[in-house]
C-alpha cells in the first residue's frame, strides 16, 4: 500500500521512498512536484501555502522533470522558498519570482587559524567592533560610499572590481561560485533607481535574517573532506549572509512589472500572477537575465566588502595581519539565482534555466564548475542555522544532479512569520538567554530584529541536513556553532 499524506487544503502527496514525496501530475500541471523531507518536516512545510505554490510552479512553460521543494521549504512570493525548477532555456521561460527579490542572497564562510580558546574572554570586544565596522539595518551606509559610475563597474565586473580596488585577493575569487563574476551581465539593463539604491549600500548586511556570525567548528563528520576544506574541530570561522540589498529588490520589481505588461498572455495561463515569466528567447528574458547577472555581481562584491571589513576588525582585535590569522575564504554560494546549466533530461543533455530560490547549488566531485581546490571532493555547501542551533558545511552529493538539478537546502527554513515572532518573543530576553545559557553574544540594531530571528522561529536545521545527507544530495562534512552574531 502506498504511503500518502494529504493536507488540510486537499493536496495529496505519495511517498516514493524515504524522504521523497510526490504531488502527482494532474490537470494543467506540466510535471509532477516533489518534496524532499522527512514526515515531520513535511508536516511543518504543509502548514502554510508552500505546497500550493510548489504545485503552481509546475504550470510554468518548459519546466522539466519535476519541480522540487527542499527540506527547509516555506511559503514565498509566488514561488516557494526552498524551491528548485529546471526550465528549458530554448522553449521555456525565466521567472523573476522564482529567483526572488534579494537576487544572489547567499552565504560565505571565511576560515581562521584561531581556536575557540583564543577567542574566549574577547567575545564582547569582538562583537562590538564588528557591529561598529560593518553597516547593518534597513537604511543606507556601506563599507564603500560610491557614485553610480562605481556601481556600474561593480555590476559589470563583480569581485574583479574588488580585486582591482584592493578589497580582495586572487584566492577570494578562486573560492567563490563562478569566480565571483557573471560575465553575462549588462549594467545598462539595471535601472537608475536600482543603481541609486545600491550606491550607498556596498558592503552592508541589511536587515531581516542577514547576519555576520563568528563561529567555532564543533564536529567533523567527513575528516578527509574537512581536511580538503581546511576545517578542523575547535577552529574559529566567520559566516556572512547577505545579498544585493535595495539594488536587487528594485531590479526584481522593475522586471516583474515589465514582464506582467509585455507577456500578459503567458500570465493568464499561470495560477498565480507572482509567477510572471518571460518566454525564453524574448527580449525581456534576455534583459532580465543580464540585469540579474549584474545584481549577482553586486551581491558578491557586497559580501566581499563585508569580509574585507571583518578582516580589518580581526587585525585590530588580535593585533596581527589577516594573512597571519589565516583568514581565507572557504567558499561563497548563492541561494537566490537562475543560471543556464546543462542537465540530463529524458536521456539527453539540455540547457536549462535552473531557478534556485532559497536553495544552494550542490555539485558533486568532478564537475568543472567546482573550483579546482575542491573538484576531487565536491563543492562546499554552507547551510546556516539559527543563532541557537549552529550551522553546517556540506559537500555536493552524488545524487544531486539526478534528484535536484544539483541543489540542496539553504538554511533551516522559517516556522513562524516575523509578525508572529515579535508577538511570541522579546528580543532582549532572547539576547540575554543566548548569552547566559549558550555563551552566544548577539548585537543588533533593535530588539525586534532579535525577536524575529529567535531560535524558536526556525525549523530544526539538523533534521534538514540529515535529510540532505540521507538522500545523497549534500553530504554532511562539519558542524559549527555561534560565538558572536551581528544582525541588522
Amino acid at each position: 500500500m502506498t504511503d500518502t499524506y494529504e493536507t488540510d487544503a486537499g493536496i495529496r502527496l505519495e511517498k516514493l521512498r524515504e524522504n521523497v514525496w510526490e504531488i502527482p501530475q494532474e490537470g494543467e500541471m506540466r510535471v509532477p512536484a516533489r518534496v524532499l523531507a522527512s514526515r515531520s518536516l513535511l508536516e511543518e512545510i504543509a502548514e502554510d501555502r508552500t505546497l500550493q505554490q510548489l504545485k503552481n510552479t509546475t504550470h510554468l512553460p518548459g519546466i522539466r522533470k519535476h519541480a522540487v521543494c527542499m527540506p527547509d521549504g516555506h511559503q514565498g512570493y509566488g514561488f516557494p522558498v526552498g524551491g528548485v525548477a529546471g526550465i528549458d532555456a530554448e522553449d521555456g521561460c525565466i521567472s523573476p519570482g522564482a529567483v526572488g527579490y534579494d537576487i544572489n542572497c547567499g552565504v560565505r564562510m571565511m576560515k581562521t587559524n584561531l581556536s575557540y580558546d583564543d577567542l574566549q574572554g574577547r567575545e564582547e570586544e569582538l562583537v562590538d567592533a564588528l557591529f561598529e565596522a560593518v553597516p547593518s539595518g534597513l537604511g543606507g551606509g556601506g563599507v564603500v560610499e560610491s557614485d553610480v559610475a562605481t556601481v556600474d563597474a561593480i555590476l559589470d565586473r563583480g569581485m574583479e572590481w574588488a580585486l582591482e580596488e584592493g578589497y580582495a585577493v586572487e584566492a577570494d575569487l578562486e573560492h567563490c561560485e563562478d569566480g565571483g563574476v557573471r560575465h553575462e551581465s549588462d549594467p545598462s539593463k539595471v535601472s537608475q533607481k536600482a543603481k541609486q539604491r545600491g550606491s550607498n549600500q556596498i558592503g552592508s548586511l541589511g536587515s531581516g535574517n542577514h547576519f555576520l556570525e563568528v563561529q567555532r567548528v564543533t564536529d567533523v563528520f567527513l575528516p578527509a573532506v574537512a581536511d580538503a576544506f581546511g576545517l578542523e574541530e575547535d577552529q574559529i570561522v566567520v559566516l556572512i549572509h547577505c545579498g544585493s540589498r535595495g539594488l536587487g529588490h528594485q531590479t526584481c520589481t522593475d522586471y516583474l512589472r515589465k514582464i506582467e505588461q509585455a507577456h500578459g498572455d503567458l500570465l493568464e495561463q499561470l495560477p498565480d500572477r507572482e509567477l510572471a515569466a518571460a518566454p525564453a528567447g524574448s527580449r525581456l528574458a534576455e534583459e532580465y537575465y543580464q540585469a540579474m547577472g549584474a545584481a549577482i555581481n553586486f551581491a558578491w562584491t557586497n559580501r566581499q566588502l563585508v569580509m574585507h571589513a571583518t578582516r580589518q576588525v580581526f587585525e585590530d582585535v588580535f593585533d596581527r595581519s589577516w594573512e597571519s590569522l589565516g583568514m581565507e575564504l572557504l567558499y561563497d554560494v548563492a541561494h537566490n539565482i537562475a543560471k543556464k546549466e546543462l542537465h540530463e533530461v529524458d536521456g539527453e543533455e539540455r540547457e536549462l534555466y535552473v531557478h534556485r530560490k532559497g536553495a544552494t547549488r550542490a555539485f558533486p566531485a568532478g564537475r568543472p564548475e567546482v573550483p579546482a581546490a575542491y573538484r576531487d571532493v565536491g563543492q562546499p555547501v554552507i547551510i546556516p542555522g539559527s543563532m541557537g542551533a549552529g550551522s553546517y558545511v556540506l559537500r555536493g552529493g552524488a545524487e544531486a544532479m539526478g534528484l535536484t538539478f544539483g541543489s540542496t537546502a539553504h538554511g533551516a527554513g522559517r516556522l513562524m512569520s516575523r509578525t508572529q515572532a515579535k508577538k511570541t518573543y522579546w528580543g532582549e530576553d532572547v539576547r540575554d538567554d543566548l548569552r547566559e545559557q549558550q555563551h552566544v553574544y548577539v548585537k543588533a540594531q533593535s530588539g525586534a530584529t532579535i525577536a524575529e530571528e529567535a531560535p524558536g522561529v526556525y525549523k530544526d536545521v539538523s533534521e534538514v541536513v540529515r535529510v540532505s545527507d540521507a538522500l545523497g544530495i549534500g553530504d554532511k562534512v562539519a558542524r559549527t556553532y555561534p560565538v558572536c552574531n551581528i544582525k541588522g
Side-chain angles (χ1 to χ4, degrees), residues 94-97 256 259-260 266-267 270 272-278:
I94 189 167
S95 172
L256 275 171
I259 289 168
E260 283 175 357
L266 194 160
L267 192 57
L270 300 173
D272 189 338
R273 291 188 64 82
E274 294 173 354
L275 289 174

Side-chain angles (χ1 to χ4, degrees), residues 211-258:
F211 62 81
L212 186 158
E213 191 166 88
V214 179
Q215 306 176 328
R216 58 189 171 101
V217 178
T218 57
D219 302 274
V220 168
F221 307 106
L222 291 176
V225 181
D227 186 58
F229 288 177
L231 295 175
E232 60 184 28
E233 284 189 20
D234 215 38
Q235 179 183 4
I236 293 297
V237 296
V238 181
L239 203 59
I240 296 165
H241 176 213
C242 57
S244 50
R245 299 293 324 271
L247 182 141
H249 195 285
Q250 188 64 49
T251 300
C252 180
T253 300
D254 291 342
Y255 279 91
L256 275 171
R257 288 175 182 159
K258 289 179 181 179

Side-chain angles (χ1 to χ4, degrees), residues 23 28-35 49-64 66-69 74 76-87 93 95 97-99 266 269-272 274-277 355 357 405:
I23 303 171
E28 300 298 313
M29 293 171 66
R30 297 172 186 264
V31 293
R34 288 188 179 176
V35 182
R49 296 192 67 252
T50 305
L51 296 176
Q52 184 59 57
Q53 289 186 335
L54 181 68
K55 196 174 174 181
N56 290 346
T57 67
T58 67
H59 294 242
L60 287 163
I63 190 166
R64 300 293 182 232
H66 41 251
V68 193
C69 178
H74 61 92
Y77 175 90
F79 193 94
V81 177
V84 176
I87 302 178
C93 62
S95 172
V99 172
L266 194 160
Q269 301 170 31
L270 300 173
D272 189 338
E274 294 173 354
L275 289 174
H355 295 68
K357 182 179 178 180
F405 300 100

